[in-house]
Amino acid sequence: MKMITAIINNNDSDAVCGSLRAEGFYFTKMSTTGGFLRSGNTTLLLGTEDDRVARALEIIRSNSRKRTVSTPVPVMPTGGELDMGLPMSSVVIGGATVFVTPVEQFEKM
Ligand code: 2BA
């Protein structure tokens, strides 16, 4: 058995979750926050048998898109005054960030 931890864009969440549900995957959906951009994303915890991992990843991949967002770049003040208007930088988010880890034990009690 494997545990898939998938961090996905909030905008892809309905499509990913709907497709996973339609194929009978069990998962837990959590509202999470990216450490870099500090904006909301969705993390799925999905435990499944080894032979279904590839299909779960395919569903996540095919429903997750790359997006480019503009984010302010923090700058140090040049003098005594704080710079007004931070420069913007583009950051590409996604598709999904996925970790697949082995499960040593699984029980429902
Ligand atoms: P955030 O941490 O908010 O990161 C959003 C995007 O900002 C990232 O997209 C990446 O393009 C960029 N980024 C992140 N950290 C950076 C850094 N130190 N320097 C420069 N750019 C940086 P993704 O890589 O697609 O990540 C999307 C979200 O997935 C992340 O949101 C975070 O919540 C999660 N994530 C990504 N890699 C992770 C990892 N190794 N461990 C845990 N969570 C991760």
Side-chain angles (χ1 to χ4, degrees):
M1 186 175 208
K2 296 284 193 292
M3 173 63 72
I4 299 174
T5 305
I7 302 155
I8 59 177
N9 193 291
N10 281 346
N11 296 314
D12 296 328
S13 174
D14 285 349
V16 171
C17 293
S19 300
L20 289 171
R21 227 177 272 122
E23 297 204 23
F25 287 100
Y26 288 18
F27 58 92
T28 296
K29 179 179 165 185
M30 301 185 290
S31 293
T32 47
T33 303
F36 187 68
L37 294 180
R38 286 168 285 177
S39 60
N41 51 29
T42 298
T43 298
L44 304 179
L45 292 182
L46 186 160
T48 193
E49 296 308 322
D50 289 13
D51 62 358
R52 298 197 74 206
V53 168
R55 181 58 190 149
L57 298 186
E58 201 177 307
I59 290 172
I60 295 166
R61 184 179 293 111
S62 64
N63 287 286
S64 298
R65 281 162 199 76
K66 282 192 199 307
R67 294 178 173 82
T68 303
V69 299
S70 284
T71 185
V73 181
V75 290
M76 297 297 291
T78 50
E81 296 168 22
L82 199 66
D83 283 350
M84 297 300 288
L86 295 176
M88 302 296 279
S89 148
S90 288
V91 173
V92 178
I93 309 174
T97 298
V98 177
F99 304 86
V100 180
T101 46
V103 173
E104 193 171 314
Q105 190 169 347
F106 170 67
E107 291 183 35
K108 287 193 174 178
M109 300 174 192

